[in-house]
Amino acid sequence: TGKEVFAQSIHNASNRCNRPFVAINCAAIPENLMESICFGYEGGAFTGAKKEGSPGVFEQANGGTLFLDEISEMHLDLQSKILRVLQEREVRRIGGKKNVSLDIRVISATNKDLEQMVKNKDFRQDLYYRLNVLDINLPSLRYIKDDIPLFINHAIKEMNLTFGKFVEGIDEEALEILVNYNWPGNVRELMNCVE
């Protein structure tokens, strides 16, 4: 559905556009690493930590936008810590002694029904209401078939630059096949196909 592209567009159209945009996929990071990735850590905070420490994504995005993709996959224990950071507007690195004040926009996304997850106690209600200030529903690609030619033309231009090619377009028969396909993998699948 292009969730990250949409989040990046919100950032780019805002007064934060010259500040960092940091995106993480909560489903792709192992649970035992998620806390250090979110909050960062001081040197020597745990075995294997860099001796100089590392800022977490909240610090990295400070002044800009943090995009939490697949937030529904975040473990309940970490949800309570994320809620505290959002409420207090400050973060402390693991093993750290001082808090860092935050000024960030947080955009979160999921392909699951968070309201139902809240009812099932699989997602914290208080975090849901803290994040759900403005709800934007992005339809799957199969519901916006008229946009597929636009995505394809954009992808061709981007890939021409990336790969040093000079593809001018797509023939009508191929375009018709692509427009009529169901795209279960959404925009990512379409981009891979064009590539």
Side-chain angles (χ1 to χ4, degrees):
T1 55
K3 295 176 291 190
E4 186 171 340
V5 171
F6 197 82
Q8 178 81 57
S9 297
I10 291 170
H11 173 78
N12 292 346
S14 76
N15 60 356
R16 296 175 184 268
C17 63
N18 294 323
R19 306 294 297 163
F21 175 84
V22 178
I24 63 165
N25 183 333
C26 299
I29 300 168
E31 183 183 325
N32 60 336
L33 296 179
M34 194 66 178
E35 190 170 346
S36 64
I37 286 172
C38 283
F39 308 128
Y41 57 87
E42 293 296 336
F46 51 85
T47 305
K50 295 179 193 172
K51 69 179 181 178
E52 66 275 9
S54 179
V57 293
F58 280 93
E59 268 187 84
Q60 293 170 35
N62 206 359
T65 303
L66 175 60
F67 176 54
L68 301 172
D69 195 9
E70 300 304 342
I71 188 118
S72 59
E73 302 303 316
M74 187 178 286
H75 193 271
L76 282 169
D77 289 342
L78 187 58
Q79 288 179 30
S80 65
K81 293 174 183 176
I82 296 286
L83 177 65
R84 182 164 179 83
V85 168
L86 295 176
Q87 287 175 333
E88 302 299 322
R89 298 177 192 261
E90 57 186 23
V91 66
R92 181 184 294 184
R93 290 184 185 185
I94 297 169
K97 292 182 171 60
K98 64 177 183 149
N99 292 339
V100 175
S101 293
L102 295 174
D103 172 24
I104 60 172
R105 168 187 288 127
V106 175
I107 300 174
S108 59
T110 183
N111 61 2
K112 294 188 177 171
D113 183 347
L114 279 185
E115 284 186 38
Q116 188 59 48
M117 289 182 72
V118 167
K119 288 177 187 169
N120 295 343
K121 305 221 183 292
D122 294 324
F123 196 86
R124 290 184 60 105
Q125 183 179 33
D126 46 6
L127 180 59
Y128 172 74
Y129 287 117
R130 173 66 65 172
L131 291 171
N132 196 27
V133 175
L134 177 63
D135 191 17
I136 301 171
N137 187 358
L138 297 179
S140 298
L141 192 55
R142 66 182 164 274
Y143 298 121
I144 52 172
K145 291 187 178 281
D146 290 346
D147 289 348
I148 291 174
L150 299 171
F151 284 120
I152 290 171
N153 288 331
H154 176 73
I156 289 171
K157 289 176 188 170
E158 290 290 316
M159 290 179 197
N160 277 340
L161 292 172
T162 301
F163 300 117
K165 300 290 182 182
F166 302 99
V167 176
E168 293 180 9
I170 182 170
D171 85 24
E172 287 300 318
E173 188 177 341
L175 182 60
E176 186 177 336
I177 290 168
L178 296 178
V179 167
N180 290 316
Y181 179 66
N182 200 30
W183 301 109
N186 285 306
V187 174
R188 187 169 288 124
E189 182 182 8
L190 175 62
M191 296 302 108
N192 288 339
C193 180
V194 172
E195 184 179 345

